[in-house]
Amino acid sequence: MSEHLLIVDDDEDIRELFRTYLAGVGYTVSEAADAASLRRALDTVPVDLILLDQRLPDADGLVLAREIRAVSDVGIIIISGFGQPVDRIVGLELGADDYIAKPVDLRELLARIRSVLRRRGHRQPAA
């Protein structure tokens, strides 16, 4: 059984790009376009790692990361158009395991996903 990743981004093209790439390397991938969909997904299926956009239409990703971390040890990588050091620091302090600025190189994203999952004791799909 492969790790389950949840992509949370209001941009459908980004979700599709990430889903296609990550499913292609062996991950099970679900998608959510907003905070409400994120919460429903977390109530429905076990998730190993969340790729969380910082700016969603119905919530701030940093606030969501803090809320999720308060109740779960799921891996969280914030993906954001904000790439200043203060943005990354705040994201990490609020509970994210990693923070990546957009635009995202897919190979770097994969390496960071594997790193977070490895630190959390998950096995990796064969590449």
Side-chain angles (χ1 to χ4, degrees):
M1 182 175 199
S2 69
E3 285 88 354
H4 188 173
L5 310 180
L6 176 60
I7 302 165
V8 185
D9 198 302
D10 60 328
D11 185 324
E12 184 176 351
D13 292 335
I14 289 175
R15 289 194 319 268
E16 181 178 347
L17 175 69
F18 289 178
R19 178 185 45 77
T20 300
Y21 181 76
L22 295 168
V25 296
Y27 291 106
T28 300
V29 182
S30 296
E31 301 176 37
D34 53 33
S37 300
L38 162 66
R39 289 180 180 110
R40 280 193 302 275
L42 291 176
D43 287 341
T44 306
V45 295
V47 173
D48 298 300
L49 186 136
I50 301 169
L51 298 174
L52 180 59
D53 186 19
Q54 184 173 337
R55 190 178 280 183
L56 295 171
D58 58 345
D60 180 292
L62 297 175
V63 173
L64 287 172
R66 182 177 51 203
E67 289 175 7
I68 293 165
R69 184 57 68 227
V71 297
S72 174
D73 194 34
V74 66
I76 301 171
I77 298 176
I78 293 177
I79 300 176
S80 174
F82 304 109
Q84 297 301 316
V86 69
D87 299 313
R88 293 190 301 269
I89 291 165
V90 169
L92 294 168
E93 287 181 346
L94 290 177
D97 295 290
D98 204 346
Y99 187 109
I100 304 173
K102 292 179 184 178
V104 176
D105 178 273
L106 293 176
R107 291 171 298 173
E108 179 183 1
L109 176 63
L110 178 60
R112 289 174 180 262
I113 289 169
R114 287 178 171 165
S115 176
V116 169
L117 290 173
R118 186 172 47 250
R119 287 191 309 262
R120 294 182 167 282
H122 291 270
R123 62 178 177 74
Q124 301 298 305

